Protein backbone atom coordinates (compact mmCIF):
# COMPACT_ATOMS: atom_id res chain seq x y z
CA UNK A 1 0.00 0.00 0.00
CA UNK A 2 2.84 2.34 0.84
CA UNK A 3 4.28 1.66 -2.62
CA UNK A 4 1.06 2.85 -4.28
CA UNK A 5 1.37 6.17 -2.48
CA UNK A 6 4.95 6.49 -3.65
CA UNK A 7 3.90 5.93 -7.27
CA UNK A 8 1.06 8.40 -6.91
CA UNK A 9 3.47 11.01 -5.57
CA UNK A 10 5.91 10.39 -8.40
CA UNK A 11 3.15 10.77 -10.99
CA UNK A 12 1.90 13.94 -9.32
CA UNK A 13 5.41 15.33 -9.25
CA UNK A 14 5.92 14.57 -12.96
CA UNK A 15 2.53 15.99 -13.86
CA UNK A 16 3.21 19.11 -11.78
CA UNK A 17 6.66 19.45 -13.31
CA UNK A 18 5.19 19.18 -16.79
CA UNK A 19 2.63 21.88 -16.00
CA UNK A 20 5.31 24.11 -14.51
CA UNK A 21 7.49 23.58 -17.56
CA UNK A 22 4.50 24.25 -19.80
CA UNK A 23 3.79 27.49 -17.95
CA UNK A 24 7.41 28.50 -18.33
CA UNK A 25 7.31 27.80 -22.08
CA UNK A 26 3.97 29.56 -22.53
CA UNK A 27 5.09 32.53 -20.43
CA UNK A 28 8.39 32.88 -22.26
CA UNK A 29 6.54 32.65 -25.56
CA UNK A 30 4.22 35.48 -24.57
CA UNK A 31 7.06 37.68 -23.35
CA UNK A 32 9.53 36.90 -26.11
CA UNK A 33 7.87 39.28 -28.56
CA UNK A 34 7.96 42.31 -26.21
CA UNK A 35 10.54 44.77 -27.47
CA UNK A 36 9.50 47.71 -25.30
CA UNK A 37 7.58 48.03 -22.02
CA UNK A 38 4.30 48.97 -23.73
CA UNK A 39 4.24 45.88 -25.99
CA UNK A 40 2.40 43.91 -23.32
CA UNK A 41 -0.66 46.04 -24.13
CA UNK A 42 -1.83 43.94 -27.06
CA UNK A 43 -5.15 43.47 -28.74
CA UNK A 44 -7.16 40.55 -27.29
CA UNK A 45 -6.89 38.68 -30.61
CA UNK A 46 -3.09 38.86 -30.54
CA UNK A 47 -2.99 37.72 -26.93
CA UNK A 48 -5.29 34.79 -27.73
CA UNK A 49 -3.10 33.81 -30.70
CA UNK A 50 0.04 33.91 -28.54
CA UNK A 51 -1.74 31.90 -25.85
CA UNK A 52 -2.65 29.25 -28.44
CA UNK A 53 0.96 29.24 -29.69
CA UNK A 54 2.22 28.73 -26.13
CA UNK A 55 -0.24 25.89 -25.54
CA UNK A 56 0.79 24.24 -28.82
CA UNK A 57 4.46 24.49 -27.86
CA UNK A 58 3.71 23.03 -24.42
CA UNK A 59 1.82 20.14 -26.05
CA UNK A 60 4.78 19.40 -28.32
CA UNK A 61 7.16 19.47 -25.37
CA UNK A 62 5.06 17.15 -23.21
CA UNK A 63 4.47 14.72 -26.09
CA UNK A 64 8.19 14.48 -26.84
CA UNK A 65 9.59 14.17 -23.34
CA UNK A 66 8.77 10.77 -21.91
CA UNK A 67 9.86 10.43 -18.26
CA UNK A 68 10.49 6.70 -18.70
CA UNK A 69 12.92 7.41 -21.56
CA UNK A 70 14.73 9.97 -19.42
CA UNK A 71 14.98 7.57 -16.48
CA UNK A 72 16.28 4.76 -18.69
CA UNK A 73 18.83 7.06 -20.31
CA UNK A 74 20.12 8.36 -16.99
CA UNK A 75 20.34 4.80 -15.63
CA UNK A 76 22.23 3.68 -18.74
CA UNK A 77 24.69 6.53 -18.33
CA UNK A 78 25.11 5.69 -14.65
CA UNK A 79 26.11 2.09 -15.41
CA UNK A 80 28.25 3.10 -18.39
CA UNK A 81 30.35 5.32 -16.10
CA UNK A 82 31.85 2.18 -14.52
CA UNK A 83 32.00 0.11 -17.70
CA UNK A 84 33.11 2.60 -20.36
CA UNK A 85 33.65 6.21 -19.30
CA UNK A 86 34.23 7.36 -22.88
CA UNK A 87 30.94 5.89 -24.04
CA UNK A 88 29.19 7.40 -20.99
CA UNK A 89 30.50 10.82 -22.01
CA UNK A 90 29.29 10.34 -25.59
CA UNK A 91 25.82 9.19 -24.51
CA UNK A 92 25.61 12.17 -22.15
CA UNK A 93 26.49 14.49 -25.03
CA UNK A 94 23.99 12.79 -27.37
CA UNK A 95 21.26 12.99 -24.72
CA UNK A 96 22.04 16.66 -24.12
CA UNK A 97 21.82 17.38 -27.86
CA UNK A 98 18.57 15.42 -28.09
CA UNK A 99 16.99 17.40 -25.24
CA UNK A 100 18.31 20.74 -26.54
CA UNK A 101 16.74 20.11 -29.93
CA UNK A 102 13.40 19.27 -28.33
CA UNK A 103 13.43 22.53 -26.37
CA UNK A 104 14.49 24.44 -29.49
CA UNK A 105 11.67 22.82 -31.47
CA UNK A 106 9.17 23.99 -28.91
CA UNK A 107 10.04 27.65 -29.48
CA UNK A 108 10.60 27.27 -33.22
CA UNK A 109 8.21 29.25 -35.34
CA UNK A 110 8.88 27.66 -38.67
CA UNK A 111 10.67 25.05 -40.68
CA UNK A 112 14.18 23.80 -39.95
CA UNK A 113 16.81 22.38 -42.33
CA UNK A 114 16.64 18.61 -42.78
CA UNK A 115 20.26 18.40 -41.60
CA UNK A 116 19.18 19.67 -38.14
CA UNK A 117 16.32 17.18 -37.93
CA UNK A 118 18.70 14.42 -39.02
CA UNK A 119 21.20 15.38 -36.27
CA UNK A 120 18.39 15.30 -33.71
CA UNK A 121 17.30 11.86 -34.90
CA UNK A 122 20.86 10.54 -34.82
CA UNK A 123 21.29 11.80 -31.25
CA UNK A 124 18.10 9.97 -30.29
CA UNK A 125 19.27 6.77 -32.00
CA UNK A 126 22.65 6.93 -30.21
CA UNK A 127 20.92 7.26 -26.85
CA UNK A 128 18.64 4.31 -27.60
CA UNK A 129 21.59 2.20 -28.78
CA UNK A 130 23.26 2.76 -25.42
CA UNK A 131 20.16 1.32 -23.75
CA UNK A 132 19.38 -1.67 -25.96
CA UNK A 133 22.68 -2.42 -27.61
CA UNK A 134 22.91 -4.08 -30.96
CA UNK A 135 19.24 -5.05 -31.20
CA UNK A 136 18.69 -1.92 -33.30
CA UNK A 137 20.41 -0.73 -36.45
CA UNK A 138 19.44 2.52 -38.13
CA UNK A 139 20.93 3.36 -41.51
CA UNK A 140 20.83 6.86 -42.96
CA UNK A 141 21.01 7.10 -46.74
CA UNK A 142 20.33 10.81 -47.06
CA UNK A 143 22.22 12.35 -49.97
CA UNK A 144 19.47 14.94 -50.53
CA UNK A 145 19.44 17.33 -47.57
CA UNK A 146 18.68 20.67 -49.25
CA UNK A 147 15.15 21.04 -47.90
CA UNK A 148 13.33 22.12 -44.76
CA UNK A 149 10.60 20.51 -42.69
CA UNK A 150 8.75 21.08 -39.42
CA UNK A 151 10.84 20.28 -36.33
CA UNK A 152 10.30 16.88 -34.71
CA UNK A 153 9.15 15.24 -37.92
CA UNK A 154 11.72 12.48 -38.50
CA UNK A 155 12.72 11.50 -34.95
CA UNK A 156 9.20 10.49 -33.83
CA UNK A 157 8.88 8.29 -36.94
CA UNK A 158 12.14 6.50 -36.14
CA UNK A 159 11.11 6.24 -32.49
CA UNK A 160 7.76 4.66 -33.42
CA UNK A 161 9.43 2.25 -35.82
CA UNK A 162 11.83 1.18 -33.07
CA UNK A 163 9.12 0.87 -30.41
CA UNK A 164 6.64 -1.04 -32.53
CA UNK A 165 9.13 -3.02 -34.59
CA UNK A 166 11.25 -4.29 -31.72
CA UNK A 167 10.62 -7.91 -30.78
CA UNK A 168 12.67 -9.35 -27.91
CA UNK A 169 12.51 -12.82 -29.49
CA UNK A 170 13.85 -11.79 -32.88
CA UNK A 171 17.20 -10.50 -34.00
CA UNK A 172 18.28 -7.00 -34.85
CA UNK A 173 15.67 -4.50 -36.01
CA UNK A 174 16.83 -2.62 -39.12
CA UNK A 175 15.42 0.83 -39.82
CA UNK A 176 16.38 2.69 -42.95
CA UNK A 177 15.99 6.44 -43.44
CA UNK A 178 16.33 7.65 -47.02
CA UNK A 179 15.87 10.97 -48.78
CA UNK A 180 15.58 11.85 -52.43
CA UNK A 181 14.63 14.82 -54.57
CA UNK A 182 11.48 14.38 -56.60
CA UNK A 183 9.87 16.49 -59.31
CA UNK A 184 7.52 18.03 -56.77
CA UNK A 185 9.86 18.41 -53.80
CA UNK A 186 11.63 16.12 -51.37
CA UNK A 187 10.80 12.64 -50.15
CA UNK A 188 11.75 10.88 -46.93
CA UNK A 189 11.21 7.13 -46.66
Amino acid sequence: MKDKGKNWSRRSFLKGGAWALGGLVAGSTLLAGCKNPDDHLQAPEEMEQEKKQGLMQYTILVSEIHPHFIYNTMTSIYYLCDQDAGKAKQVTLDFTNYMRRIFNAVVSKGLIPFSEESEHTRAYVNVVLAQIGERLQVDFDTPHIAFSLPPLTLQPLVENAAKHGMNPDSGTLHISVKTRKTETGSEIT
Side-chain angles (χ1 to χ4, degrees):
M1 202 62 148
K2 190 175 183 182
D3 200 41
K4 269 189 176 181
K6 184 178 178 185
N7 287 338
W8 181 85
S9 297
R10 185 179 298 147
R11 273 189 240 116
S12 296
F13 172 77
L14 291 173
K15 199 178 218 182
W19 279 106
L21 189 56
L24 180 64
V25 170
S28 65
T29 300
L30 291 174
L31 295 175
C34 294
K35 293 185 177 46
N36 68 54
D38 295 328
D39 277 354
H40 67 281
L41 303 173
Q42 297 176 331
E45 302 86 33
E46 290 176 23
M47 290 177 64
E48 186 62 31
Q49 183 64 26
E50 287 182 359
K51 185 178 173 183
K52 286 180 183 178
Q53 177 74 16
L55 183 59
M56 182 179 74
Q57 290 172 331
Y58 164 74
T59 303
I60 291 170
L61 180 63
V62 170
S63 70
E64 285 302 312
I65 299 179
H66 305 285
H68 192 68
F69 176 70
I70 294 171
Y71 301 147
N72 285 346
T73 301
M74 297 308 294
T75 302
S76 296
I77 291 169
Y78 175 81
Y79 286 108
L80 275 173
C81 287
D82 290 334
Q83 298 169 0
D84 185 345
K87 189 171 182 181
K89 283 180 167 181
Q90 185 59 51
V91 173
T92 302
L93 183 62
D94 289 333
F95 184 62
T96 302
N97 288 334
Y98 168 76
M99 294 301 292
R100 181 181 300 118
R101 290 184 189 284
I102 286 178
F103 288 121
N104 288 342
V106 168
V107 297
S108 174
K109 297 191 190 274
L111 302 177
I112 62 169
F114 174 78
S115 58
E116 285 184 28
E117 183 68 9
S118 177
E119 288 174 24
H120 171 71
T121 304
R122 289 171 195 265
Y124 168 78
V125 168
N126 290 338
V127 170
V128 171
L129 287 173
Q131 295 174 18
I132 64 172
E134 297 171 4
R135 293 183 7 219
L136 175 66
Q137 181 180 344
V138 180
D139 298 315
F140 289 86
D141 180 14
T142 56
H144 173 59
I145 60 169
F147 64 97
S148 296
L149 68 169
L152 302 177
T153 300
L154 180 60
Q155 182 271 323
L157 294 174
V158 172
E159 180 179 351
N160 284 339
K163 279 183 181 177
H164 300 291
M166 192 69 68
N167 181 351
D169 298 329
S170 65
T172 302
L173 172 65
H174 295 273
I175 298 174
S176 180
V177 177
K178 297 180 181 184
T179 60
R180 71 182 183 102
K181 184 161 180 58
T182 66
E183 290 179 13
T184 58
S186 300
E187 181 179 275
I188 304 172
T189 57

